[in-house]
Amino acid sequence: MSSERGKETAELGSSRSPSDQQPVAPSRYESQKRRDWNTFGHYLRNQRPPVPLSQCNCNHVLEFLRYLDQFGKTKVHLQGCVFYGQPEPPAPCTCPLRQAWGSLDALIGRLRAAYEENGGSPETNPFASGAIRVYLREVRECQAKARGIPYKKKKKATSAQGKGGDGSSSTMHFQG
């Protein structure tokens, strides 16, 4: 009798309406992740000599991030610039446009996920390398200094924070 139930369940599971089988449009994040992955693959293929994904390491990722700077839209003042350290400079200057730290950080997150989704192992993920984290930290600090905005480490939330006190905590608390 249990084999009859198995057949019924299998038949019920396969009797979906055509509307159930239509592909669901990928989310904005998934679309961007696929675009980023394809762009990185294109970058590797255009290297001389071309770099197979299996040979890709953190140095290739760092070169890719530096390559992307030429398409950036964020003005990063150089130390010799009269506007260095000013959040809102009063006039234009010749300092370079770069990729914003937040954009690079988000890109690395998407590529890190895409690498593993495309068969790479977490242990060999070049996007998860310590060198990448160091590079991103340096970019963040450099851009913050150039704009005169210090980045401070956020204090880790503890159960004592947010329950009264003087409200001087540097972390955000969300009420649900």
Side-chain angles (χ1 to χ4, degrees), residues 18-167:
S19 64
D20 289 344
Q21 294 178 359
Q22 290 180 357
V24 176
S27 69
R28 184 171 175 225
Y29 170 81
E30 291 296 328
S31 296
Q32 186 65 53
K33 184 169 55 172
R34 184 175 333 124
R35 252 191 320 273
D36 293 339
W37 183 248
N38 290 339
T39 300
F40 183 69
H42 188 259
Y43 172 81
L44 290 178
R45 286 189 300 277
N46 285 335
Q47 297 301 296
R48 293 292 165 242
V51 179
L53 190 58
S54 61
Q55 300 293 312
C56 174
N57 61 41
C58 67
N59 292 324
H60 297 108
V61 176
L62 290 171
E63 290 169 12
F64 177 65
L65 294 177
R66 291 184 190 109
Y67 159 79
L68 290 177
D69 265 344
Q70 67 184 310
F71 307 110
K73 296 175 186 165
T74 299
K75 177 76 72 168
V76 179
H77 298 287
L78 302 174
Q79 282 189 327
C81 178
V82 295
F83 302 129
Y84 182 80
Q86 293 185 25
E88 296 182 32
C93 67
T94 59
C95 290
L97 294 174
R98 301 267 168 88
Q99 290 289 336
W101 165 77
S103 298
L104 293 176
D105 188 49
L107 170 68
I108 288 299
R110 291 188 300 267
L111 289 172
R112 184 177 182 170
Y115 179 84
E116 294 176 19
E117 288 172 10
N118 285 282
S121 77
E123 294 80 24
T124 61
N125 191 332
F127 303 100
S129 164
I132 304 301
R133 287 191 298 276
V134 167
Y135 177 78
L136 289 174
R137 182 172 50 244
E138 288 172 356
V139 167
R140 181 184 69 193
E141 290 170 358
C142 172
Q143 290 184 5
K145 285 179 187 173
R147 293 175 52 220
I149 301 170
Y151 273 98
K152 294 178 182 168
K153 276 192 171 181
K154 291 184 178 179
K155 295 178 185 174
K156 293 192 177 187
T158 63
S159 59
Q161 285 181 331
K163 294 185 178 182
D166 64 358

Side-chain angles (χ1 to χ4, degrees), residues 2-24:
S2 63
S3 62
E4 288 296 319
R5 283 187 192 164
K7 287 179 188 176
E8 288 175 26
T9 305
E11 289 171 0
L12 288 174
S14 64
S15 61
R16 293 184 179 156
S17 67
S19 64
D20 289 344
Q21 294 178 359
Q22 290 180 357
V24 176

